[in-house]
Amino acid sequence: MKFSIGRTFLLGFGFFGVSVIWMVYNAFVPLFLANRFHIEPWLIGLFMTFDNFAALFIQPPVGAWSDRLRTPIGRRMPFILIGAPIAALVFGLIPLASVLPLFVACTSTLILSMAFWRTPVVALMPDITPSEYRSQANGIINLMGGLGAILGTLVGGPLFNINEAYPFWMGSALVILAALMVFIFIKEPKEYETTSEEQPSLWQSLIDVLTSQERSALRILLAIFFWFVAYNAIEAFFTLYAQNHLGLPGGDGARLLGQLSLLFVLFALPAGMLGGKFGRRKVIMSGIILLSACMLGMYFLPPETLLIQITRLPVLGVVPVVGVILMIAGIAWAMINVNSLPMVVDMTDQLRVGTYTGLYYLFSTLAAIAGPNLNGWIIQLTGKDYSNTMLVGPLFMLVALVMMLGVRRGEAKSVPSA
């Protein structure tokens, strides 16, 4: 198994499709809920976690199932070819739903179909990448995901201001294209590691992590939980934060998120390289500190300061102070996110890559449930002050930092020379 940059870029189209869908969903569904259906903030927070409740019960066992599956087209590919087309279809129907029950039906179907194929498409990366190159490969994967996020925000924002359905229709077309690119150009390994022993299930692997005397795996999974609580809490409410705290139109709030996504994309590859050179743990911890500082800046600086125009750039348009802070946050998030999954999968063997990918998503999904709910209630209880979304995050980042201090495994494994 050799590392191929070109093949990894092609694999990244899978994560590209996932990111387009979720960025458009997270940016504009809260606006529909607040403006079209007049839902209260705490209920919006609950609604924005429905996808994560589904993922909690679907993604981890699907990851373990894909480890065991054997088909002529591979063990991961069937999940992609079933889940992606269904997701594309219902995603395009979401903005057309004028009554709440139909809106919920469309979003629920999207949630289930996306949960069905996300873990297998992510598990393809370690399937085809040697351990010592997984941070770099994950940098490429996240670069492609960031490109999807940019399209969902920088392009989706102006499209939303023209017609609320346009970003969703764009996302549907792109996710079909992405799934086809993965199916056509990525060939799964023909042979897999085998063992005469029964493979532990996801839940047995979780029990092993919880009861192990060496706590590195548990610590990083808890760190993942806490930093995703912080990040998801902000992401779920940012367009409403921009609308209610900064006084910006919904499309402009999405455009600001696009500035974060752009820097995430530009720094995804360098973040992987930094993890390979200086160690994944050190780079993640640096990212935690930097992202915490960005959140505190968005909380303590007044709106009139955050909206001061710094410059105007092609594609990005006006870049205010808050845009610069979000760009720095994008760099910090790349340092954390690019290096975390490789650390998790390098704490196990090749037989359980899908299972440990499932554990990664189990803890990130639990965080994605807790974060928006927590912030929804904080906003509700503080008189709908959306700036409080930026205050809670650093507290959870601090806990994540403490967890990472005790991680001793998960760096790149060297391959013995012949």
Side-chain angles (χ1 to χ4, degrees):
M1 182 170 60
K2 296 181 180 180
F3 176 53
S4 168
I5 293 177
R7 181 175 58 178
T8 306
F9 268 108
L10 290 168
L11 173 59
F13 275 98
F15 200 42
F16 171 90
V18 170
S19 295
V20 170
I21 290 285
W22 287 129
M23 186 55 71
V24 171
Y25 184 93
N26 287 331
F28 301 119
V29 166
L31 294 175
F32 285 141
L33 293 172
N35 301 332
R36 181 181 293 180
F37 301 115
H38 309 292
I39 304 297
E40 292 294 319
W42 73 271
L43 274 175
I44 294 175
L46 178 62
F47 191 97
M48 294 304 292
T49 62
F50 286 167
D51 59 318
N52 300 304
F53 279 110
L56 177 64
F57 295 103
I58 296 173
Q59 283 182 191
V62 164
W65 181 13
S66 71
D67 279 344
R68 299 188 298 270
L69 186 67
R70 301 292 183 266
T71 77
I73 59 173
R75 56 180 178 171
R76 319 290 188 195
M77 208 63 70
F79 297 92
I80 299 170
L81 295 182
I82 294 171
I86 296 173
L89 175 63
V90 295
F91 192 63
L93 297 176
I94 287 175
L96 304 180
S98 58
V99 294
L100 189 57
L102 180 58
F103 188 85
V104 171
C106 291
T107 55
S108 299
T109 306
L110 172 76
I111 286 164
L112 293 172
S113 57
M114 290 296 290
F116 187 72
W117 69 289
R118 179 164 183 167
T119 300
V121 77
V122 173
L124 273 172
M125 184 277 285
D127 279 350
I128 65 173
T129 307
S131 170
E132 69 268 30
Y133 295 110
R134 284 175 180 168
S135 276
Q136 294 89 326
N138 207 38
I140 294 173
I141 297 296
N142 278 275
L143 184 151
M144 294 298 290
L147 288 174
I150 287 172
L151 281 171
T153 51
L154 291 182
V155 178
L159 287 177
F160 185 83
N161 289 337
I162 298 170
N163 186 308
E164 294 178 347
Y166 286 171
F168 291 83
W169 295 348
M170 176 188 70
S172 295
L174 289 174
V175 81
I176 290 293
L177 175 63
L180 286 174
M181 293 289 286
V182 172
F183 177 67
I184 293 169
F185 292 107
I186 299 301
K187 305 303 178 186
E188 295 190 46
K190 298 295 184 183
E191 298 178 359
Y192 307 102
E193 292 183 17
T194 58
T195 177
S196 58
E197 300 178 1
E198 183 180 353
Q199 294 185 43
S201 66
L202 174 83
W203 303 114
Q204 183 57 54
S205 296
L206 177 59
I207 291 170
D208 292 344
V209 167
L210 293 173
T211 57
S212 172
Q213 291 186 344
E214 207 287 319
R215 314 297 280 178
S216 290
L218 177 60
R219 280 182 169 272
I220 192 170
L221 289 171
L222 288 173
I224 287 165
F225 171 83
F226 286 113
W227 72 54
F228 269 107
V229 164
Y231 186 77
N232 278 284
I234 293 169
E235 187 179 53
F237 282 99
F238 187 81
T239 49
L240 287 171
Y241 163 86
Q243 177 180 278
N244 292 278
H245 184 67
L246 301 180
L248 298 174
D252 287 356
R255 184 178 58 80
L256 285 173
L257 276 179
Q259 295 176 3
L260 181 154
S261 301
L262 176 63
L263 267 292
F264 177 89
V265 166
L266 294 177
F267 207 73
L269 284 176
M273 294 175 183
L274 288 172
K277 183 174 182 179
F278 297 106
R280 297 164 178 169
R281 174 175 166 271
K282 290 180 181 178
V283 174
I284 288 172
M285 292 172 66
S286 300
I288 290 172
I289 294 169
L290 186 58
L291 186 53
S292 299
C294 291
M295 294 179 191
L296 291 174
M298 284 188 281
Y299 177 75
F300 285 109
L301 291 175
E304 54 269 22
T305 301
L306 291 170
L307 292 175
I308 293 174
Q309 180 177 338
I310 301 297
T311 186
R312 179 184 290 271
L313 297 174
V315 181
L316 291 179
V318 173
V319 180
V321 170
V322 67
V324 174
I325 294 174
L326 286 168
M327 290 180 182
I328 298 171
I331 294 173
W333 187 237
M335 295 168 69
I336 298 168
N337 208 28
V338 165
N339 290 289
S340 56
L341 177 62
M343 285 200 81
V344 172
V345 298
D346 275 329
M347 290 187 180
T348 187
D349 53 42
Q350 196 68 19
L351 279 170
R352 293 195 287 180
V353 161
T355 304
Y356 267 61
T357 303
L359 286 176
Y360 172 91
Y361 279 112
L362 172 65
F363 279 78
S364 62
T365 298
L366 286 171
I369 291 171
N373 277 295
L374 174 64
N375 273 264
W377 276 109
I378 289 173
I379 293 165
Q380 189 78 30
L381 296 173
T382 56
K384 299 185 180 180
D385 183 354
Y386 284 84
S387 68
N388 286 306
T389 56
M390 304 301 169
L391 181 61
V392 177
L395 301 176
F396 289 103
M397 284 292 186
L398 177 62
V399 180
L401 184 66
V402 172
M403 290 294 104
M404 287 301 298
L405 287 171
V407 174
R408 297 291 178 262
R409 296 188 296 122
E411 299 294 348
K413 301 173 184 176
S414 58
V415 176
S417 57

